[in-house]
Amino acid sequence: MPELPDVETFRRTLDHHGLGRPVRRTTVSAPDLLADISPQSLGRLLKNHPLAETRRHGKVLFAAREGRDGWLVLHFGMSGSLVMIEGRDAPPEHAGLVIAFDLGGFAYVSPRRLGMIGWTQSPEAFVASRGLGPDALAVDRERFVPDLRGHRGAIKCWLMDQARLAGIGNVYSDEILFHAGIHPKRAGNTLDEPEAKRVYEAMRRVLEEAVTARADPARLPDGYLLPRREKGGRCPRCGEALATARACGRTAWYCPRCQAPDEVSR
C-alpha cells in the first residue's frame, strides 16, 4: 500500500510536471473509484483550469484548481500510483483517471481499484470529515509522546491508526520500530519517555530518508529492514533471521535479537 513516502513522491512529481498547465480533458475509466462526484461533474470542475498547488496529508494527495476554490482528492488504496504521461503517449494500464493537458498529462493508476478519487473545498475540510490524525511528518514530539504512551495496545497498531497518526502503514511501521529497537507488539503504555522519544525520532528519520529515496527500497541506505522484509531475510544490523508476528490483522517483520519481545500486548 502506498504510504507517506510514496504519496509525497507522487506529490513532488505532480508539482514539478503538472502545475500551471490547463486541463483539457478528464477521462474516468473506473467510476467506482469516485466518491460523491460524477465523472461529468469532475470534468466540468477541472476543464480549462490549471492546477495551482499540491498538498499531502498522510496518504492523501490534494491538487488545487486555479483560484484554490476546490481541490482534487486522490487516495491510492492498496496498490495505486500516480504516473505522468509524456507527449502523446497512451495512458498506462489500469488508469482509472486520466487528466490530459495540451500535451501529456497524468494518470491515477489503481490495478485493484481500492483507492478513492474525490473533490473537496479544502484539504482541512477533507481531513476533518475523515477524522484523520496529524500528518506523521508534521506532528510534534510533545503531542506524539504522551499519545503513544497512553495507548494500551500494540505500538505497531497505534502507528498504523490513521485517526491517531496519518501516513504510516504496514511497511514503514516495521521500519520505524526496527530503528527504534522496539518489538512491534510492545504495548504503548509500557514505554518510558525516552523509549517513546526514540520512536518519534526514528519515525522522523525513516520517513525523511524514504522521501529522499523517492520511496524506492533500492535507494535506501544500508541498514534498512525494508529490502530484507521477506522470507529468508536477515537483520541488517546483527544478521539474525527476521521473524514475523500478527498485529491488528497485519504481518509485522522484526529482528528478535534487536527488538526485545518483553512486555508485548496480548
Side-chain angles (χ1 to χ4, degrees):
M1 175 184 286
E3 300 183 30
L4 186 155
D6 306 88
V7 180
E8 179 62 17
T9 300
F10 302 156
R11 187 196 71 78
R12 294 183 182 191
T13 299
L14 185 57
D15 229 26
H16 185 70
H17 296 287
L19 298 190
R21 304 171 68 184
V23 173
R24 297 308 187 199
R25 186 176 66 260
T26 301
T27 304
V28 178
S29 301
D32 51 312
L33 290 170
L34 297 181
D36 301 320
I37 192 168
S38 69
Q40 296 79 12
S41 295
L42 184 64
R44 285 193 295 269
L45 285 165
L46 289 171
K47 189 172 183 180
N48 297 324
H49 291 280
L51 298 177
E53 180 185 351
T54 62
R55 291 191 203 170
R56 180 198 52 73
H57 186 96
K59 303 177 185 181
V60 185
L61 174 60
F62 302 93
R65 184 174 68 175
E66 186 180 48
R68 294 170 178 79
D69 56 350
W71 297 69
L72 176 68
V73 181
L74 301 174
H75 186 282
F76 296 91
M78 293 293 291
S79 58
S81 62
L82 185 140
V83 178
M84 298 306 299
I85 301 170
E86 300 294 334
R88 302 191 185 281
D89 289 351
E93 189 178 8
H94 304 301
L97 168 68
V98 175
I99 293 181
F101 308 128
D102 286 321
L103 197 61
F106 66 93
Y108 170 99
V109 177
S110 183
R112 298 175 66 181
R113 295 197 175 185
L114 294 174
M116 187 276 289
I117 301 165
W119 190 264
T120 186
Q121 290 307 301
S122 71
E124 294 80 8
F126 181 87
V127 168
S129 72
R130 295 301 174 106
L132 296 177
D135 182 80
L137 273 179
V139 66
D140 59 46
R141 192 172 67 177
E142 288 67 30
R143 175 172 178 172
F144 180 98
V145 168
D147 282 0
L148 173 57
R149 295 186 67 208
H151 181 61
R152 297 176 64 183
I155 184 172
K156 178 179 173 71
C157 301
W158 185 88
L159 287 169
M160 293 174 58
D161 184 347
Q162 302 304 295
R164 296 178 182 274
L165 193 66
I168 299 170
N170 196 32
V171 170
Y172 284 100
S173 58
D174 284 351
E175 193 70 64
I176 289 162
L177 293 173
F178 172 70
H179 285 264
I182 302 292
H183 192 281
K185 293 191 72 175
R186 177 92 177 266
N189 64 354
T190 69
L191 271 62
D192 61 26
E193 189 163 333
E195 287 175 317
K197 288 180 178 178
R198 198 164 76 226
V199 175
Y200 178 80
E201 297 303 330
M203 177 187 71
R204 298 280 313 183
R205 184 170 65 254
V206 164
L207 294 178
E208 289 171 357
E209 194 68 63
V211 169
T212 299
R214 292 181 284 181
D216 181 353
R219 294 175 176 266
L220 290 170
D222 291 339
Y224 270 63
L225 192 72
L226 205 161
R228 302 164 176 85
R229 196 175 168 272
E230 60 186 7
K231 188 174 181 179
R234 292 191 170 272
C235 175
R237 187 175 298 147
C238 73
E240 182 77 8
L242 297 180
T244 61
R246 296 294 287 176
C248 45
R250 307 302 296 275
T251 298
W253 290 82
Y254 69 99
C255 173
R257 182 179 296 172
C258 297
Q259 295 166 267
D262 37 323
E263 296 189 88
V264 301
S265 300
R266 302 299 177 190

